[in-house]
Amino acid sequence: MHAAFPRGRFAAEPWAPPADVEDTEDAYLVELELPGVDKDQITVEVAEGELDVHGEVRPREHTGVVRRHTRRIGQFDYRTTVPPNADTEHISADLANGVLTVRVPKTEKGKVQRIEVTS
C-alpha cells in the first residue's frame, strides 16, 4: 500500500454516530449523522426511559481498488435517556440528507409554568 494512503481503523464493536440534542419549547430533537444509510437500515425504539437508535452501515460496492477507507461501516448504536416529561407515545423520526431527526415531544406536565408570587 502506498504511504500516501494510510490504512483506516475499524472497530468490530458497534459505534455511535455523531449526534446533537436540542431542547426546544415543545420537544427534544435528536439529530444523528447517518450519511448513506437508508431508512430500512435504521431502528428507533424507546423503552424504560431510554431512546435507542441502531442499525447498520453496509459497505458499498467499489469498481476500483480502495486505497483509503476511513468511513465507518458496520453496526451502530446510539442510546440516550429521555427526560421524565417526554411524550414517548408520540415520538417521530425523519431521515433527510443523511441526518436522522428524532422528535420527542414534551408532555404538558413538563412545560415550565410561571407562578405569581403574592404577599
Side-chain angles (χ1 to χ4, degrees), residues 92-111:
S92 61
D94 179 59
L95 181 64
N97 300 320
V99 176
L100 176 70
T101 302
V102 180
R103 185 177 186 283
V104 182
K106 295 179 181 179
T107 61
E108 282 295 318
K109 71 177 184 177
K111 292 189 178 179

Side-chain angles (χ1 to χ4, degrees), residues 48-115:
E48 299 178 11
E50 188 173 82
L51 176 69
D52 182 18
V53 180
H54 57 273
E56 181 179 10
V57 176
R58 298 184 184 126
R60 65 180 195 85
E61 296 285 326
H62 297 280
T63 57
V65 176
V66 177
R67 298 285 185 190
R68 187 174 191 180
H69 188 148
T70 59
R71 292 187 296 172
R72 292 221 182 219
I73 58 171
Q75 300 291 323
F76 64 86
D77 189 21
Y78 176 84
R79 292 172 187 260
T80 189
T81 304
V82 293
N85 66 332
D87 182 358
T88 57
E89 296 295 318
H90 296 97
I91 294 175
S92 61
D94 179 59
L95 181 64
N97 300 320
V99 176
L100 176 70
T101 302
V102 180
R103 185 177 186 283
V104 182
K106 295 179 181 179
T107 61
E108 282 295 318
K109 71 177 184 177
K111 292 189 178 179
V112 175
Q113 235 180 334
R114 185 171 292 269
I115 309 299

Side-chain angles (χ1 to χ4, degrees), residues 13 18 30 55 64 94:
E13 296 180 12
V30 181
D94 179 59

